[in-house]
Amino acid sequence: MTKILMYATFFIVGLWTGAAHGAPEAEIYDFPITRVIDGDTVAFEALFLPPPLKQELSIRVYGVDTPEKSWRGQCDYEKNLGQQATDFTHDTLFHGDKDIKIMIMKWDKFGGRVLGDVIVDGKSLRDLLLLNGFAREYYGDKKESWCE
């Protein structure tokens, strides 16, 4: 079995079994970040995925919610803070030489992306977003409005 195929098999089976048991255990990987989607979601290179699948997955930072940006925001305050959160995540990940790890916990309830965290020079992106006021704790309940 090729190394990539073996890696893909372990990755997919590990996520499937973790999701099936609801276990929040995490695996840590050295996948490169390809882009920032918003404050709490980034994409990473997933060369282990077989064609015709796109060789990129998104990871949503588990346990936080950042404001929506652009047309998804419900008010100007949310849109502005959402863009600031996105810029903060981008700057945190892409400015300077960083040691970045992807910590994957399970598949997201919406499918197509995973839940976990991004570890930047040993620090949790989740914690950095909370510490800097760009996120609130969120575990899948009803979201609080950023506009009130």
Side-chain angles (χ1 to χ4, degrees):
M1 183 181 293
T2 68
K3 187 175 182 179
I4 290 177
L5 183 57
M6 185 171 63
Y7 202 29
T9 302
F10 287 137
F11 178 79
I12 292 168
V13 169
L15 283 177
W16 179 78
T17 56
H21 295 97
E25 294 180 24
E27 295 290 331
I28 297 180
Y29 301 93
D30 285 321
F31 302 136
I33 302 290
T34 54
R35 60 193 170 98
V36 172
I37 297 166
D38 61 23
D40 58 18
T41 308
V42 301
F44 63 90
E45 192 174 85
L47 298 179
F48 54 85
L49 293 174
L53 297 175
K54 184 176 181 180
Q55 295 189 314
E56 180 184 72
L57 280 175
S58 297
I59 182 168
R60 185 175 188 287
V61 178
Y62 179 75
V64 295
D65 176 47
T66 59
E68 299 294 341
K69 61 182 184 171
S70 187
W71 61 272
R72 298 188 79 159
Q74 299 296 309
C75 63
D76 288 340
Y77 175 75
E78 180 178 16
K79 293 174 188 179
N80 291 333
L81 191 57
Q83 186 59 56
Q84 289 176 37
T86 301
D87 294 343
F88 174 82
T89 296
H90 184 275
D91 292 348
T92 299
L93 298 175
F94 290 112
H95 284 168
D97 187 28
K98 310 275 174 103
D99 178 35
I100 297 176
K101 307 280 187 214
I102 301 292
M103 183 173 70
I104 298 174
M105 300 168 94
K106 60 184 179 178
W107 285 106
D108 187 24
K109 65 183 175 183
F110 297 111
R113 66 182 182 184
V114 294
L115 293 174
D117 202 352
V118 180
I119 309 302
V120 184
D121 292 333
K123 297 176 187 162
S124 160
L125 178 59
R126 176 192 184 280
D127 292 346
L128 292 171
L129 286 165
L130 288 167
L131 181 68
N132 287 280
F134 295 116
R136 295 180 180 148
E137 286 197 18
Y138 173 73
Y139 298 99
D141 303 336
K142 185 177 187 235
K143 290 185 180 185
E144 276 184 63
S145 173
W146 289 91
C147 298
E148 297 173 355

